[in-house]
């Protein structure tokens, strides 16, 4: 819209008022006349306003380059309708399962649903690989136009493209480095070393995260320099990565401090703990923190420093020093905080043997005291494979499990249920003796997304028999409904 | 017979978002042990061949709720449910229709209550024919007196509005804007008393016009158009009939019933649908364009709180039907339906065509705020906002939320698509798109 000429004059006169300024003429439009200047202005403005609306002048905006053509066929209409109802309806939490099933079809998502799905992927990182595969070229094209969806580049398994590493966006460069790290970790490290001083802190962190893939002793010198980084999060990440290299010099330095502070002079007695000195410069440097001489009357800060040390010390340090096996060591830790620090170390260092040894005390605490610090329990459990995780849960829930016993354990579990576990949960749901109303609701909520959907008929029949108790019947009928929904969803994506 | 409804058609019936959510919770086959649909006579325009969809929903009580939807015949769709909810359709009927749309309901004549309800409906409808029955007032003299009284009230109200507008422009828009919301609400309240309800809405909306970055242009435009409407009403006896009808409709007079004898039969492309909030009710506009006549038609409906809209006219279809037109605003009503077909994208034009068509429509109705346009082969572009660029390189801006902008951008992806929507003073409101393969995608 041009704001010159008659319209512009009318607006500026109207702003100050016709009481103060004469009504301007509007050449090119029929002249409205009259005694009242305000009415004359409104008459002329009406003509000019409609003329402006009728004479809209289009701009010229260059369209974007077209997205590459797709090869995969669209998903079938029924599956798309189902996805739409998952995105907008009460079954939001079935999206991950739907996406996994859809990936297997080799088909692709309709473009109109991509924005909503890419938004879900911003916060639910687990969905990203499936989104990247199902979204096809179109999703990648869209993601390049919106920084909020840049994560998609990371989720795509691509071959390394040196040009994109040099000139790409932050997300693309990270994706390229990750790709190279998968095939040639040393080359990736050399590339990063070249640009490292010029990368911004946020980007240094994102690029260094790619070292989780293909991590080896050869990365040690580079990670050692990153321990002195200006950004604390980069230092912490470098320390975490180095802790996964048990024979690195860094790990040996930490171990030397750790064995000094934790001892077990008498075999049948618990571990003895000496709190570190906050002003100890060697220890502070090894942990990438600054030494301080602040007062610490309760010892809180010193304990915190000790747990940071234990979390990053290679776990094998303790074998032979505090006990002969992980189980042995865990049994000798009289201190709950130490137990948590070891659990942290097991999670950071992805050590299954230690995870098995620590699960018993952590789970006991969690089930009996609902201690939130024991939240490490689920991360420990996740280190084991699915069958073993389910076996643990069954062992823990006893010979005739009740909902009360099962629920806190199921809430720690994030994997496929084994056949045995599914059978046990089904038994508990269908046995009114073993649950209460509120527990049944929560149990059915877990079961709805985990059980084999083919079971929907069995629960629907059970709901018919539950007639005496309306609420329980509705809960079980709901479960049957969700299972049926998932069963249909599977059939559509066969 | 027309196609079975899609789930989107069903949700379009929901009176509000909360009843849709509630319906989704009940829409589980397990809650509906008995359900079915009764076949309509062949040759009727029944969606999916169903005359009635019925079901019994297990609720919290001992007796199941009996829900049913009658999909064909006069006054259809009609709904019933034995639950206490005051919404129509209630969550049970919505859930039932959803299950039917999902293919979860099998053909089954159903229990006795279904037949009884249909019989009751048939006898209540009596010898009514399709289309609106002409209402003849009981006492013509009293009606004429009431009409005269209303004309007088409106004339007084509009004269006051004219004075107020002149005062605003006399003192200057800067002052006018500073007085804020209260003043517009007060003027609107006076117009409601004067029985000029639609005009009152228009005045209440001035607060929005005064809030934006281009408020000087907007406010003067709105004041000038209101002034034009007042002038038009004052000189109503000198105006040609179509213009007079437009003025009266814009003020809020109920339009006279259209003449069914002058109905236009055509194959109508159902271009797009826009739902909006009017004062305490929800409104719906559906735009149609005749394949042979080229005529534009607007089906307008209002639904009070807790009521759903008629969803029997579906975007993306071609309707072989007869439409009777009101004198103003291209408003029409369907007087007879013959068939419904799924269709290819409607024929569209360039940006220049759309603007020229809009200018023609504006000449007949200078107060026009939304006009349907169909743009063929446009590509969605971004530059600050969203744009649609035609093959000649000319672009129209979109007035759209971020989400619908991204959706259209992703559907087009740098390639030509057909878009139907409303051209408004604030840009194009995209409502329906068809991709290069002719697939219809709702983008609103």
């Amino acid at each position: 819209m041009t704001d010159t000429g008659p319209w512009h004059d009318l607006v500026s006169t109207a702003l100050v008022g016709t009481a103060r300024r004469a009504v301007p003429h509007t050449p090119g439009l029929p002249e409205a006349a009259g005694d009242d200047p305000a009415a004359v202005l409104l008459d002329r403005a009406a003509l000019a306003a409609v003329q402006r609306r009728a004479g809209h002048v289009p701009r010229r905006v260059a369209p974007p380059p077209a997205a590459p053509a797709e090869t995969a066929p669209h998903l079938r209409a029924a599956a798309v309708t189902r996805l739409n109802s998952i995105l907008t309806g009460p079954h939001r939490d079935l999206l991950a399962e739907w996406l996994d099933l859809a990936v297997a079809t080799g088909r692709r998502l309709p473009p109109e649903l991509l924005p909503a799905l890419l938004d879900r992927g911003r916060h639910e990182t687990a969905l990203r690989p499936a989104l990247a595969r199902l979204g096809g070229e179109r999703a990648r094209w869209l993601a390049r136009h919106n920084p909020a969806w840049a994560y998609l580049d990371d989720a795509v398994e691509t071959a390394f493209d040196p040009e994109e590493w040099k000139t790409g966006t932050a997300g693309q460069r990270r994706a390229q480095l990750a790709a190279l790290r998968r095939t040639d970790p040393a080359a990736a490290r050399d590339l990063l070393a070249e640009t490292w001083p010029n990368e911004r802190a946020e980007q240094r962190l994102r690029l260094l995260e790619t070292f989780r893939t293909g991590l080896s002793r050869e990365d040690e010198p580079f990670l050692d320099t990153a321990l002195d980084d200006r950004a604390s999060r980069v230092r912490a990440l470098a320390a975490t990565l180095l802790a996964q290299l048990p024979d690195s010099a860094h790990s040996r330095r930490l171990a030397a401090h750790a064995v000094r502070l934790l001892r077990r002079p008498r075999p049948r007695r618990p571990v003895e703990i000496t709190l570190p000195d906050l002003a100890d410069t060697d220890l502070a440097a090894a942990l990438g923190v600054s030494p301080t001489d602040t007062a610490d009357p309760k010892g809180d800060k010193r304990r915190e420093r000790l747990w940071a040390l234990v979390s990053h010390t290679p776990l094998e340090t303790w074998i032979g020093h505090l006990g002969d096996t992980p189980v042995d060591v865990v049994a000798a830790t009289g201190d709950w905080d130490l137990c948590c620090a070891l659990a942290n170390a097991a999670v950071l260092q992805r050590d299954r043997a230690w995870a098995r040894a620590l699960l018993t005390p952590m789970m006991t605490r969690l089930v009996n005291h609902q201690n939130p610090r024991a939240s490490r329990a689920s991360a420990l459990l996740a280190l084991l494979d699915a069958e073993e995780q389910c076996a643990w849960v069954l062992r823990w829930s006893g010979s005739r499990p009740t909902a009360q016993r099962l629920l806190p354990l199921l809430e720690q579990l994030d994997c496929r249920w084994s056949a045995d576990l599914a059978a046990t949960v089904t038994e508990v749901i269908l046995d009114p003796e073993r649950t209460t109303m509120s527990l049944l609701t929560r149990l059915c909520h877990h079961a709805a997304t985990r059980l084999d959907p083919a079971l929907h008929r069995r629960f629907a029949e059970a709901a018919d028999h539950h007639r005496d108790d309306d609420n329980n019947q509705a809960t079980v009928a709901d479960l049957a409904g969700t299972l049926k929904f998932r069963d249909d969803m599977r059939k559509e994506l066969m | 017979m027309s196609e079975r409804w899609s789930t989107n058609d069903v949700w379009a019936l929901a009176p509000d978002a909360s009843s849709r959510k509630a319906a989704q919770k009940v829409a589980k086959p397990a809650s509906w042990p008995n359900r079915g649909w009764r076949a309509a006579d062949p040759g009727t325009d029944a969606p999916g061949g169903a005359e009635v969809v019925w079901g019994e929903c297990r609720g919290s009580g001992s007796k199941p709720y009996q829900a049913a939807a009658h999909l064909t015949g006069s006054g259809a769709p009609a709904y019933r449910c034995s639950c206490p909810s005051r919404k129509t359709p209630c969550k049970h009927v919505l859930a039932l229709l959803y299950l039917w749309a999902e293919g979860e309901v099998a053909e089954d004549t159903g229990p006795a209550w279904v037949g009884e309800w249909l019989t009751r409906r048939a006898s209540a409808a009596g010898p009514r024919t399709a289309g609106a029955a002409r209402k003849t007032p009981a006492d013509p003299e009293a009606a004429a007196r009431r009409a005269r009284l209303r004309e007088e009230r409106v004339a007084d109200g509009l004269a006051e509005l004219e004075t107020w507008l002149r005062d605003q422009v006399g003192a200057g828009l800067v002052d006018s804007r500073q007085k804020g919301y209260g003043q517009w609400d007060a003027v609107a309240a006076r117009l409601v008393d004067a029985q000029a309800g639609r005009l009152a809405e228009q005045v209440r909306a001035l607060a929005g016009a005064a809030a934006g970055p281009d408020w000087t242009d907007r406010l003067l435009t709105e004041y000038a158009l209101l002034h034009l409407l007042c002038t038009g009403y004052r000189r109503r006896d000198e105006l040609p009939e179509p213009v007079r009808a437009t003025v009266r409709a814009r003020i809020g007079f109920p339009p006279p019933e259209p003449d069914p004898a002058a109905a236009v039969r055509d194959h109508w492309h159902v271009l797009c649908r826009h739902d909006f909030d009017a004062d305490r009710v929800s409104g719906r506009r559906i735009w149609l364009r005749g394949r042979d006549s080229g005529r534009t038609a607007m089906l307008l409906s209002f639904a009070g709180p807790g009521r759903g809209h008629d969803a029997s006219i579906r975007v993306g279809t071609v309707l072989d039907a007869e439409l009777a037109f009101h004198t103003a605003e291209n408003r029409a009503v369907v007087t007879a339906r013959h068939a419904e077909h799924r269709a290819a994208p409607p024929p569209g034009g360039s940006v220049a065509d759309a603007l020229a068509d809009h200018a023609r429509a504006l000449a007949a109705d200078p107060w026009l705020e939304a006009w349907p346009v169909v743009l063929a082969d446009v590509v969605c572009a971004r530059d600050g906002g969203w744009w649609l660029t035609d093959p000649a390189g000319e672009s129209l801006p979109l007035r759209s939320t971020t989400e619908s902008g991204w959706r259209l951008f992703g559907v087009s992806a740098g390639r030509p698509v057909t878009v139907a929507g409303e051209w408004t003073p604030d840009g194009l409101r995209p409502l329906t798109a068809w991709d290069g393969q002719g697939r219809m995608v709702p983008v609103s």
Side-chain angles (χ1 to χ4, degrees):
Chain A
M1 293 275 172
T2 49
D3 268 338
T4 55
W7 175 254
H8 180 72
D9 296 342
L10 288 167
V11 171
S12 48
T13 305
L15 274 176
V16 297
T18 50
R20 295 190 194 84
R21 194 184 287 182
V23 180
H25 286 280
T26 45
L29 286 170
E31 275 293 344
D35 307 335
D36 182 342
V40 173
L41 182 126
L42 282 166
D43 281 334
R44 292 178 186 179
L47 286 164
V50 176
Q51 185 196 38
R52 272 175 99 227
R53 280 188 180 175
H56 178 90
V57 181
R59 261 187 53 188
R60 301 181 79 84
V61 179
E70 301 279 1
T71 46
H74 269 305
L75 281 155
R76 280 187 284 267
V80 172
T81 307
R82 175 83 47 185
L83 173 59
N84 224 336
S85 66
I86 289 173
L87 286 171
T88 55
H91 292 302
R92 275 180 66 92
D93 47 354
L94 293 181
L95 181 58
E97 185 183 8
W98 188 94
L99 289 170
D100 283 344
L101 292 167
V103 164
T105 64
R107 293 169 174 263
R108 68 192 165 85
L109 291 163
E112 64 273 17
L113 294 181
L114 288 174
L117 285 164
L118 290 168
D119 278 344
R120 285 281 298 264
R122 287 172 65 181
H123 308 294
E124 299 168 59
T125 50
L127 305 176
R128 292 175 180 186
L131 283 179
R133 291 182 55 188
L134 278 166
E137 293 289 349
R138 186 68 55 96
R140 277 197 286 290
W141 182 89
L142 256 182
R144 274 186 207 124
H145 287 273
N146 184 353
W149 301 330
Y151 66 79
L152 200 71
D153 274 322
D154 263 13
V156 184
E157 301 254 337
T158 46
F160 178 70
D161 170 5
E163 198 45 43
E164 196 156 277
W165 163 250
K166 285 199 188 74
T167 59
T169 62
Q172 287 168 338
R173 293 185 61 238
R174 181 194 146 119
Q176 290 306 329
L177 194 68
L180 188 59
R181 195 65 206 179
R182 278 191 290 271
T183 53
D184 187 350
R189 189 179 56 245
D190 294 343
L191 270 188
L192 183 58
E194 278 171 37
T195 63
W196 186 254
N198 308 325
E199 305 282 0
R200 299 178 30 200
E202 182 62 22
Q203 185 66 353
R204 285 203 299 278
L205 183 71
R206 295 187 60 198
L207 292 169
L208 192 59
E209 276 170 352
T210 62
F211 276 47
R212 292 182 192 278
T213 316
L215 191 66
S216 72
R217 279 298 304 271
E218 293 176 15
D219 294 317
E220 194 184 336
F222 183 83
L223 292 173
D224 268 332
T225 57
L227 277 179
D228 304 330
D229 198 88
R230 293 191 303 280
S232 63
R233 289 173 64 197
V234 175
R235 294 200 297 271
L237 178 61
T240 302
L241 290 167
L242 281 165
Q244 290 172 37
L245 298 170
D247 41 6
S248 67
H250 173 73
S251 291
R252 283 199 300 275
R253 278 197 299 277
L254 291 178
H257 287 286
V259 298
R260 185 166 52 78
L261 298 170
L262 298 183
R263 292 168 177 282
R264 196 178 173 196
R266 289 186 294 270
R268 275 192 246 304
R269 308 277 297 152
V271 174
E272 288 178 13
I273 299 173
T274 315
L275 291 183
D277 179 359
L278 291 177
D280 180 338
T281 45
D282 280 357
L283 174 61
L287 286 170
V289 295
S290 353
T292 60
D293 46 10
T294 43
D296 184 27
K298 288 202 190 127
D300 289 349
K301 292 198 177 64
R302 280 172 293 162
R303 288 176 75 82
E304 216 165 290
R305 185 148 300 181
L306 178 62
W307 306 142
L309 174 66
V310 173
S311 299
H312 286 98
T313 300
L315 283 158
E316 63 191 40
T317 308
W318 312 119
I319 303 298
H321 178 66
L322 298 181
D324 294 337
T325 61
V327 178
D328 215 13
V329 176
V330 173
T333 52
D335 184 291
W336 172 240
D337 285 341
L338 175 56
C339 200
C340 286
L342 287 172
N344 247 340
V347 172
L348 281 175
Q349 296 167 41
R350 315 195 133 275
D351 192 310
R352 285 189 176 188
W354 280 86
R356 289 189 189 104
L358 286 155
L359 264 173
T360 303
M362 298 297 274
M363 275 293 184
T364 312
R365 195 90 173 183
L366 182 82
V367 176
N368 300 343
H369 310 287
Q370 298 291 335
N371 184 317
R373 283 278 308 273
S375 60
R376 273 290 174 219
S378 55
L380 288 174
L381 201 53
L383 291 174
L384 310 178
D385 59 37
E387 279 292 327
E388 195 180 352
Q389 291 187 45
C390 296
W392 265 92
V393 167
L394 282 173
R395 197 178 322 155
W396 270 96
S397 53
S399 56
R400 189 171 176 279
T402 59
Q404 182 150 12
R405 186 83 196 173
L406 257 176
L407 257 176
L409 296 159
L410 291 178
E411 278 162 1
Q412 302 312 309
L413 204 57
D414 187 19
C415 68
R416 286 186 67 87
W417 286 1
S418 65
D420 287 350
L421 180 61
T424 304
V425 174
T426 305
E427 263 172 50
V428 174
I429 290 175
L430 296 178
D431 181 354
E433 303 283 296
R434 296 203 235 170
T435 88
T436 64
M437 180 63 220
S438 65
L439 291 175
L440 181 68
T441 309
R442 281 165 61 201
L443 198 56
C444 284
H445 172 77
H446 279 282
T449 54
R450 306 291 172 85
L451 284 179
D452 177 359
L455 288 167
H456 69 89
R457 282 193 194 83
R458 188 171 163 189
F459 286 106
E461 284 161 20
D464 282 342
H465 293 284
H466 250 298
R467 296 245 172 207
D468 51 336
D469 181 345
D470 221 30
N471 281 330
N472 282 3
Q473 181 235 326
T475 306
V476 175
D478 260 5
L479 168 62
T482 304
L483 291 173
K484 171 80 166 68
F485 186 97
R486 287 175 52 215
D487 199 41
D488 293 342
M489 170 170 122
R490 279 172 187 237
K491 287 181 186 139
E492 284 157 5
L493 291 167
M494 281 295 181
Chain B
M1 168 175 143
S2 52
E3 296 210 11
R4 181 155 37 130
W5 293 354
S6 73
T7 51
N8 285 341
D9 297 328
V10 175
W11 295 135
L13 295 170
D16 48 45
S18 69
S19 54
R20 176 183 164 164
K21 277 211 176 65
Q24 282 170 329
K25 287 205 176 77
V26 192
K28 292 174 179 152
S31 312
W32 298 82
N34 301 320
R35 58 187 191 270
W37 58 271
R38 188 182 278 211
D41 295 334
T44 49
D45 183 34
E51 181 188 18
V52 177
V53 183
W54 60 270
E56 295 179 343
C57 177
R58 270 209 304 250
S60 44
S62 56
K63 275 189 71 165
Y65 292 130
Q66 299 171 339
H70 188 196
L71 304 176
T72 59
S74 69
Y79 320 102
R80 67 149 307 203
C81 183
S82 56
C83 79
S85 167
R86 283 215 299 273
K87 293 182 176 178
T88 28
C90 69
K91 66 179 182 182
H92 303 107
V93 172
L94 285 171
L96 175 66
L97 287 170
Y98 173 81
L99 290 173
W100 168 69
E102 288 272 272
E104 291 280 2
V105 179
E107 190 177 342
D108 178 347
T109 314
W113 62 262
V114 180
E116 287 159 17
W117 178 56
L118 286 179
T119 316
R120 273 203 309 279
R121 269 184 59 71
S123 61
R128 262 181 51 179
T129 48
R134 299 233 146 199
K135 290 194 280 288
T136 45
D139 179 357
E141 269 181 41
R145 211 171 35 247
R146 274 199 304 274
R148 257 198 321 278
L149 195 64
R150 179 167 187 178
E151 298 282 349
E152 282 165 24
R153 281 208 187 115
V154 169
D156 291 348
L158 262 60
E160 257 183 82
L161 176 63
E162 262 196 285
T163 311
W164 181 83
L165 286 165
R166 283 201 303 270
D167 290 349
Q168 302 311 302
V169 174
L173 296 185
V174 177
D175 284 6
S176 180
R177 183 178 184 230
Q178 271 165 353
K179 287 183 212 145
Y181 285 84
Q183 61 168 342
W184 295 305
D185 282 346
V187 175
R190 266 297 295 126
L191 288 167
V192 171
D193 294 342
Q195 292 187 293
R198 191 167 164 192
L199 192 53
E201 281 286 304
Q202 200 71 21
V203 170
R204 221 173 268 126
L206 287 171
D214 53 351
W215 70 271
T216 53
D217 292 327
R218 286 298 302 273
L219 207 54
L220 181 58
T221 302
E222 295 299 332
Y223 283 1
L225 288 172
L226 285 169
H227 169 81
L228 183 65
L229 196 60
C230 296
T231 313
Y233 187 70
R234 223 179 340 106
R235 297 169 41 195
R236 59 189 175 280
D237 298 337
E238 310 161 39
L239 299 176
E241 174 52 27
V243 182
R244 183 167 51 232
T246 303
V247 168
R248 293 177 64 83
R250 295 268 168 204
I251 288 167
F253 284 102
E257 293 288 343
D259 177 10
V264 183
R265 181 165 182 180
D266 200 339
H267 284 76
W268 301 93
H269 279 280
V270 186
L271 304 177
C272 50
R273 192 185 84 198
H274 177 55
D275 293 346
F276 56 95
D277 283 326
D279 187 26
R280 288 187 297 277
V281 294
S282 68
R284 168 170 294 180
R285 292 194 277 268
I286 299 176
W287 292 101
L288 313 175
R289 197 156 276 162
R291 188 188 65 188
D292 307 323
S293 63
R295 252 186 111 152
T296 299
M298 173 181 65
L299 307 178
L300 183 68
S301 63
F302 290 97
R307 306 237 149 222
H309 286 275
D310 169 11
S312 59
I313 310 274
R314 294 181 290 159
V315 172
T317 57
V318 167
L319 202 60
D320 174 3
E322 288 164 43
L323 264 57
F325 280 83
H326 289 271
T327 326
E329 299 188 280
N330 298 280
R331 263 187 79 176
V333 290
V334 179
T335 53
R337 276 177 74 132
H338 301 288
E340 181 195 49
H341 318 278
R342 285 277 164 197
S350 66
V351 165
D353 295 337
L355 290 173
D357 188 43
H358 172 248
R360 271 193 298 275
L362 209 54
D365 177 1
W367 301 279
L368 193 66
E369 294 224 303
W371 182 249
V373 297
V374 183
L375 296 165
D377 297 331
V378 281
V379 181
C380 187
R382 285 178 73 214
D383 181 9
W386 309 94
W387 301 79
L388 290 178
T389 303
D390 73 2
E394 298 199 309
S395 317
L396 290 181
L398 296 187
R399 60 171 292 168
S400 63
T401 60
T402 322
E403 196 189 341
S404 68
W406 278 118
R407 211 175 301 150
L408 188 51
F409 191 69
V411 168
S412 154
R415 294 170 198 280
V417 292
T418 296
V419 177
E422 291 179 337
W423 178 242
T424 76
D426 302 312
L428 183 86
R429 178 186 288 127
L431 296 168
T432 323
W434 289 264
D435 69 10
Q437 287 69 52
R439 198 173 62 96
M440 183 192 83
V441 187
V443 286
S444 55

